[in-house]
Amino acid sequence: MKPITFLVAITTVAVVLSTARATSSPGTWQPIKNPNDFRIRMVAEYAVFMHNFKTEFKHPLRLVDVDSGSIHQFKNGVIYTLIVSAAQADNLSSKGSLYQTAVRVSLDRTAGGLIYFMPVM
Ligand SMILES: *[C@@H]1O[C@H](CO)[C@@H](O)[C@H](O)[C@H]1NC(C)=O
């Protein structure tokens, strides 16, 4: 992994963890009002990065934008469920297609990460 990529990943996780503190009561979920808020975009960037990492960068994607999403609050953290638009990273004429992803962030930092990343059928 290139150092800069690693730095981006670490920074992303730090930002995601810090957003998990600004939370409401446990057991609730709420729609994300501004899906292209910087912090939500960072969660989406993390999801795309982890998807690329897990697929060994064979057909890497780049985030285009965040379409919609919700935040589910649970006792020890939050789960972000997002609909994102992502395109082929190495093809500038590739337009985005839709993917659904979920990212878990635990407050105690013992668990978390990408739950799934898959095309919207
Ligand atoms: C790049 O994206 C365009 C638009 O989707 C597509 O027509 C073309 O085949 C792609 N090129 C490659 C090399 O995948």
Side-chain angles (χ1 to χ4, degrees):
M1 199 186 296
K2 290 178 195 165
I4 186 69
T5 310
F6 184 67
L7 185 63
V8 168
I10 290 296
T11 307
T12 302
V13 169
V15 170
V16 167
L17 286 169
S18 68
T19 62
R21 290 222 184 81
T23 53
S24 53
S25 54
T28 61
W29 72 273
Q30 56 194 43
I32 293 169
K33 292 186 190 104
N34 183 2
N36 282 291
D37 174 88
F38 171 74
R39 289 169 299 181
I40 302 303
R41 276 194 72 96
M42 290 300 276
V43 175
E45 293 280 12
Y46 171 79
V48 170
F49 176 82
M50 287 310 294
H51 167 76
N52 289 342
F53 185 77
K54 288 180 176 184
T55 55
E56 298 177 336
F57 297 90
K58 285 196 176 108
H59 303 286
L61 297 173
R62 61 184 155 84
L63 180 69
V64 177
D65 61 17
V66 184
D67 207 63
S68 62
S70 61
I71 301 176
H72 181 249
Q73 178 82 39
F74 63 102
K75 198 178 161 203
N76 294 317
V78 294
I79 293 174
Y80 296 87
T81 305
L82 305 175
I83 304 291
V84 304
S85 176
Q88 295 168 24
D90 49 5
N91 182 354
L92 288 180
S93 48
S94 159
K95 290 176 182 165
S97 42
L98 292 179
Y99 296 84
Q100 182 171 6
T101 185
V103 174
R104 174 174 39 223
V105 180
S106 299
L107 288 178
D108 60 9
R109 308 184 184 202
T110 57
L114 186 65
I115 301 171
Y116 61 78
F117 187 97
M118 60 190 186
V120 172
M121 293 300 156

